[in-house]
Amino acid sequence: MSAGTIGKLLKDLPDEDHSANFQREVPIMKKGDHLVIVGMGGVGGPAAMLAKRLMPEVDVTVIREEERFIVR
Amino acid sequence: MATVDSITNPDQMFADAGINLVIARATHADAEEKKITLSDGRELPYDKLLLGTGASPVVPPIEGCDLEGVFSLRSAPDAVEINNFLEKENRRKLVLIGAGFINLEVATLLASTKPDHYDVTVIELLSHPLPLMLDAEMAVQIQEYLVEKGFKMKMGQKVVKVFGQNGKVAGVELATGEKIDAEMVLVSIGVKQNLELAKDLGVEIGKFGVKVNKFLETSVPDVMAAGDCVEKQHFVTKRPVTGQLRGPAVIQGRLAAKRLAGYDIEFPGVMNNSAVKLFDKSIASVGLTEELAHQEGFETISTTVNSRSKHGMIPGVKPWTLKLIFDKESQKVIGGQIISDSEAPVKEIDTVNALILGGKTIAELTTLMCAGNPDCSSEPSLEPVTICAEQALQKLRA
Ligand SMILES: Cc1cc2nc3c(=O)[nH]c(=O)nc-3n(C[C@H](O)[C@H](O)[C@H](O)COP(=O)(O)OP(=O)(O)OC[C@H]3O[C@@H](n4cnc5c(N)ncnc54)[C@H](O)[C@@H]3O)c2cc1C
């Protein structure tokens, strides 16, 4: 297979990229910082558990509206 | 049927992990003062905020959708309410508007729980059931199967009115003028993002929700967002999509946590990875359907192969079918669909997912080697990914 063919096969589909491009520094939360998560469905529960595991010194709060959290 | 308690996590899990849990509605968010106001009047300051506010069912602007007995389903209390409503007067006649996975799963679950009790009619605007997961020729197998199970499948039909009697639902009317009696109507035609707090904060919002970069950061500093409320990018087309499924929500939630802990990992985009079980049929899909690929301007090659769950001589062997869709120009695999009579093969869709993520081509797929054993896989000669790819090779030459 020629390099040209390989290059063609590896080409991204299609090359237009529509993602938002907000530039940010990598944020690192510090001891005592407050992380607030609104919602405790697919996103909120797993995010809170992992955030606390990776950053035990950060204060993590999850807010949810409903009585119970569904496993999803 | 499972109780709410059996499918919900005990809050103790969060308390044990040292997480503060607040049960209240967040009524306002202020990006300048960096605080959240709660329905009970409390205010919570934040250094970093993650919005995972999800989405709510779309109620179509159809007359009669506010009648008693018209439901949509999002939460556990919704499910309990629906069940109680059906049980209360031993209701039988169900009309489901929308043939996506939620409605079909609810209908099959109800029908399995009380065989021969319910009279089920499914109405779908598009030409076939599961239109976001399957192409027409695959979906027609499911349609015929559900008809065999006693469902009335009205595809390509539009509901123009829900009518009632004494404030309660009594039926629906189609654009053709046909009227269908109903004692309960379930509407699942899609969801809209919950964006109230995002709007308070002034974050940029796109056609499909909160705009985020590849690290899930919004246009407002220190505010991240993830899950159903966020506009995503399709991995294959790179275009904005809704991507409102469990996989993206959980992975984005955990990715946001990693980002806040200093990891530099990008979200790759979504591929509509979905699975559903309807009676004994397990169905899964990933990437673009062929119909969607055409709408997105791809010229495609597709192949469909029948396989089996075990070697032919093993008791309990069940058939399954794989369809793969390739982009003709790059020869990369861009989508896959599975219909299976047993549960295990359906997870082969994750292999297809990995192949799409890896940008694998038809030629590369012909050399894929899979783990095999008489009890848990087809014979190697019936391994459908390689066979689909070989057939695609032949189509390329034709
Ligand atoms: C019946 C049903 C079945 C489904 N089955 C599947 C499936 O089999 N596979 C699959 O991939 N996907 C499935 N989905 C979709 C999947 O559940 C969602 O994509 C996923 O839950 C999205 O996670 P999320 O965290 O973004 O939103 P959600 O899980 O909806 O969570 C949103 C959370 O935000 C909270 N919230 C919102 N606003 C506020 C506020 N102002 N104050 C406080 N709390 C707030 C809500 O209380 C909730 O806790 C299903 C959805 C439904 C409705």
Side-chain angles (χ1 to χ4, degrees), chain B residues 138-201:
Chain B
M138 293 287 277
V140 86
Q141 298 174 39
I142 299 303
Q143 187 170 331
E144 285 167 8
Y145 175 72
L146 293 176
V147 169
E148 267 172 39
K149 293 281 180 187
F151 288 12
K152 297 179 190 102
M153 301 291 288
K154 296 201 168 282
M155 303 295 104
Q157 301 276 357
K158 186 175 181 183
V159 175
V160 290
K161 187 179 170 185
V162 180
F163 57 88
Q165 222 173 8
N166 306 325
K168 282 186 189 162
V169 69
V172 301
E173 184 177 332
L174 305 181
T176 55
E178 185 184 354
K179 290 188 174 159
I180 302 163
D181 290 347
E183 291 168 293
M184 190 199 85
V185 172
L186 182 60
V187 185
S188 298
I189 56 159
V191 291
K192 59 177 187 308
Q193 304 81 17
N194 295 328
L195 297 175
E196 296 85 351
L197 296 179
K199 285 179 183 162
D200 288 351
L201 291 158

Side-chain angles (χ1 to χ4, degrees), chain A residues 9 11 13 16-17 19 22 24 27 29 34 36 38 52 59-62 64-65 68-69 71-72, chain B residues 5 7 9 11 17 20 22 24-25 47-48 50 52 74 213 218 233 236 238 259-260 327 330 332:
Chain A
L9 295 183
K11 169 173 92 60
L13 290 171
E16 217 177 336
D17 187 329
S19 65
F22 313 122
R24 297 263 180 276
M29 296 196 75
H34 297 285
V36 173
V38 187
K52 195 67 191 175
D59 181 64
V60 179
T61 302
V62 204
R64 74 157 192 256
E65 214 180 340
R68 284 176 275 199
F69 165 56
V71 184
R72 283 190 177 133
Chain B
D5 284 334
I7 59 162
N9 275 357
D11 288 342
N20 314 308
V22 174
R25 181 165 177 80
D47 296 292
K48 301 281 179 192
L50 171 60
R74 180 77 191 176
N213 64 14
T218 70
Q233 193 186 56
V236 176
K238 310 290 182 223
R259 178 71 173 166
L260 292 168
D327 168 41
S330 68
K332 289 180 181 178

